[in-house]
Amino acid sequence: MPPLGVVLGAWTMNWPALIILVLAAFFYSKGLVAARRRNLRWPLWNSIAFFVLGLGSFAALSFGFPGAYSHDLRWAFTLKVTSYLFVVPLLVGLGKPLTLARQTLGSAGAARVEAVLGHRLVRMLSNTLVAALLGLAMFTIFLTPFFYVLRTNPAADVILTVVVPVMGLFMSVPIMEDGAGRTGSLIVVEFIFVFIELLADAVPGVLMRLSPGILDGASSVLGNQPGWFPSPLRDQQLAGDLMWFLAETVDLPLIILMFVRFSRSDKHEARSFDELSDEEIEALNRAHLGQGGRSYE
């Protein structure tokens, strides 16, 4: 493992990441200014989560040790990309950027936000089953020789820096902020899909960890490398450990969120039934039995 001084002192410039950071900070700050003008009290914790945890983690991954050594170390590259997809969006979502946008953009701006969230692509990415399949497909590439191209090609690095965090945001932020209107039955289905994701995300990491050969074909060690560099096989094993750990760990908050959401939905449905009169409940029962009777005909 690298010395602490190397980890803390490593630095590299990542221009696409810098542009993303500046734009994200600008628009969120603009929302905070608009909230103040509207006399809306925005929680300080949400702002700290967005800037320090969300954008801070993205900056550390892009400009720090993972970004500086991702071309040479499989585990550093895996740490960066896996965190781009799972960790950074989760931390950004704690800042509730969608809620801030809806409260400060006015009716026209809020309508544009809803139009984007209602787009077929965004709805597909925010589906938990699609998220599980996308994560599995992307990490399966790490088991092929194309993994070497992703690590070493500058164009691939630019694409990953831009596309993977955005894809992660579409996958996680709508689920975190837009779950209040979902019914209990739909939450149960999503719960099942999250468990599928929990199992599926482990497969590429386990295969990478247990493989006796170098999967990307880059088995030779280049010269002029620091003495703390691991061997190619050990590097691959560390990458598998990180992929497995991060993918499984990040799924746990989503499972807890599903528990909380289902509990609230169940209480809301129970309260709505309690508010019905005896005549309304009897009408619902007759309608339900009538539908059931027709289904057997």
Side-chain angles (χ1 to χ4, degrees), residues 84-85 88-90 92-93 97 164-175:
Y84 274 172
L85 184 65
V88 172
L90 190 65
V92 168
V164 174
V166 172
M167 186 170 66
L169 288 173
F170 284 150
M171 287 167 52
S172 61
V173 173
I175 295 176

Side-chain angles (χ1 to χ4, degrees), residues 42-53:
W42 187 252
L44 179 62
W45 156 248
N46 293 134
S47 300
I48 294 175
F50 184 84
F51 286 108
V52 178
L53 300 180

Side-chain angles (χ1 to χ4, degrees), residues 184-196:
S185 58
L186 182 58
I187 294 174
V188 172
V189 174
E190 289 186 339
F191 216 170
I192 296 173
F193 289 158
V194 169
F195 272 108
I196 294 175

Side-chain angles (χ1 to χ4, degrees), residues 35-84:
R36 180 173 299 179
R37 290 176 179 174
R38 293 170 177 263
N39 294 323
L40 297 175
R41 297 185 60 183
W42 187 252
L44 179 62
W45 156 248
N46 293 134
S47 300
I48 294 175
F50 184 84
F51 286 108
V52 178
L53 300 180
L55 298 188
S57 62
F58 181 73
L61 293 167
S62 303
F63 307 121
F65 181 89
Y69 286 90
S70 61
H71 302 294
D72 303 313
L73 293 172
R74 294 170 182 82
W75 70 265
F77 178 84
T78 302
L79 173 63
K80 183 176 75 170
V81 176
T82 306
S83 299
Y84 274 172

Side-chain angles (χ1 to χ4, degrees), residues 90 96 126-128 171-191 194 253-269:
L90 190 65
K96 297 188 178 299
S126 61
N127 183 283
T128 50
M171 287 167 52
S172 61
V173 173
I175 295 176
M176 294 175 64
E177 295 197 45
D178 294 338
R182 299 176 187 249
T183 62
S185 58
L186 182 58
I187 294 174
V188 172
V189 174
E190 289 186 339
F191 216 170
V194 169
L254 292 179
I255 292 176
I256 296 174
L257 178 64
M258 292 293 180
F259 269 120
V260 174
R261 186 178 297 167
F262 179 77
S263 176
R264 292 176 178 175
S265 175
D266 185 63
K267 290 180 180 178
H268 175 73
E269 292 178 0

